[in-house]
Amino acid sequence: MIASTPEPPYFVVIFSSQRTAGDAGYGAMADRMVELASAQPGFLGVESARDAEGFGITVSYWRDEAAIAAWKAHAEHAEARRLGRERWYGAFQLRICRVEREYGMGGR
Amino acid sequence: MIASTPEPPYFVVIFSSQRTAGDAGYGAMADRMVELASAQPGFLGVESARDAEGFGITVSYWRDEAAIAAWKAHAEHAEARRLGRERWYGAFQLRICRVEREYGMGGR
């Protein structure tokens, strides 16, 4: 679903990842992370898609870089990231960006 | 596949979209757009994932905003966007962002 975000500028974390085979607790943890992130101060929305080959992109939107840093420091999120490196992801790249402008059609 | 991008800063276009049902020429046009974009000056890479429900995220990376503007002005791309609004997408949102920093694991 397309996130309903405010007027730019705001910030986005683009998380691109290749999943390993099998669930191994991933689905439950992913749901929990969305629930937790959504409750963080400065959280603006999230969008996520993963294809049949296990390649996925999650974009989470944030008011400012301080909100991103606070979410990174969250203890349960830190533990999830540790498990991600160990178990769930064969590779990932995380990019922190400033949204400069946007436009679209429908769905908001 | 995770794109191999240079040291930030650089720019990214995040294109989030909901596909309509059926192909209607979409697949061939999507492949052609990746081929064309890849040949544009300032193109740095692209990543894309679409789930089984037709929600997808494509992120394309660019050297600067001028490269993004030039790609937007490409005639064949403009025609593809027109067909996208008319036929292929129920909703979309496009966000233009400056990548500030990044890190990752594996796959590059």
Side-chain angles (χ1 to χ4, degrees):
Chain A
M1 209 174 70
I2 294 171
S4 186
T5 41
E7 283 294 299
Y10 56 91
F11 286 80
V12 57
V13 178
I14 305 174
F15 182 72
S16 309
S17 65
Q18 182 60 51
R19 283 274 288 109
T20 48
D23 185 70
Y26 171 78
M29 182 66 97
D31 290 347
R32 172 70 178 148
M33 286 305 111
V34 168
E35 182 192 343
L36 265 185
S38 304
Q40 289 288 301
F43 173 86
L44 300 175
V46 63
E47 298 166 353
S48 198
R50 190 171 299 282
D51 67 22
E53 285 74 46
F55 183 76
I57 301 173
T58 296
V59 288
S60 59
Y61 301 105
W62 301 89
R63 189 178 50 217
D64 51 33
E65 293 195 80
I68 294 170
W71 168 232
K72 189 178 181 185
H74 190 291
E76 205 173 328
H77 182 206
E79 172 62 5
R81 292 204 313 281
R82 192 187 66 75
L83 288 169
R85 284 176 180 269
E86 190 180 292
R87 249 182 232 187
W88 294 319
Y89 300 118
F92 68 79
Q93 194 70 12
L94 185 150
R95 294 174 174 97
I96 297 167
C97 322
R98 180 184 146 104
V99 181
E100 306 285 355
R101 58 188 194 281
E102 67 176 309
Y103 61 90
M105 177 191 86
R108 303 198 74 201
Chain B
M1 211 174 67
I2 294 172
S4 187
T5 41
E7 283 294 299
Y10 54 91
F11 287 79
V12 56
V13 178
I14 305 174
F15 181 72
S16 309
S17 64
Q18 181 61 52
R19 283 274 288 111
T20 49
D23 185 71
Y26 171 77
M29 182 66 97
D31 290 347
R32 173 71 179 146
M33 286 304 110
V34 168
E35 181 192 344
L36 265 186
S38 303
Q40 288 289 300
F43 174 86
L44 301 176
V46 63
E47 299 166 354
S48 198
R50 189 171 300 280
D51 67 22
E53 286 73 45
F55 182 74
I57 301 173
T58 295
V59 287
S60 60
Y61 301 105
W62 302 88
R63 189 179 52 217
D64 50 34
E65 294 195 81
I68 294 171
W71 169 231
K72 188 176 182 186
H74 190 291
E76 206 174 328
H77 182 205
E79 173 62 7
R81 293 204 313 280
R82 193 187 66 74
L83 289 169
R85 286 176 178 269
E86 190 180 292
R87 245 180 236 187
W88 295 318
Y89 299 119
F92 68 81
Q93 193 70 13
L94 184 150
R95 295 174 174 97
I96 296 166
C97 321
R98 180 184 145 103
V99 181
E100 306 285 356
R101 58 188 194 281
E102 67 175 309
Y103 60 90
M105 177 190 85
R108 302 197 77 201

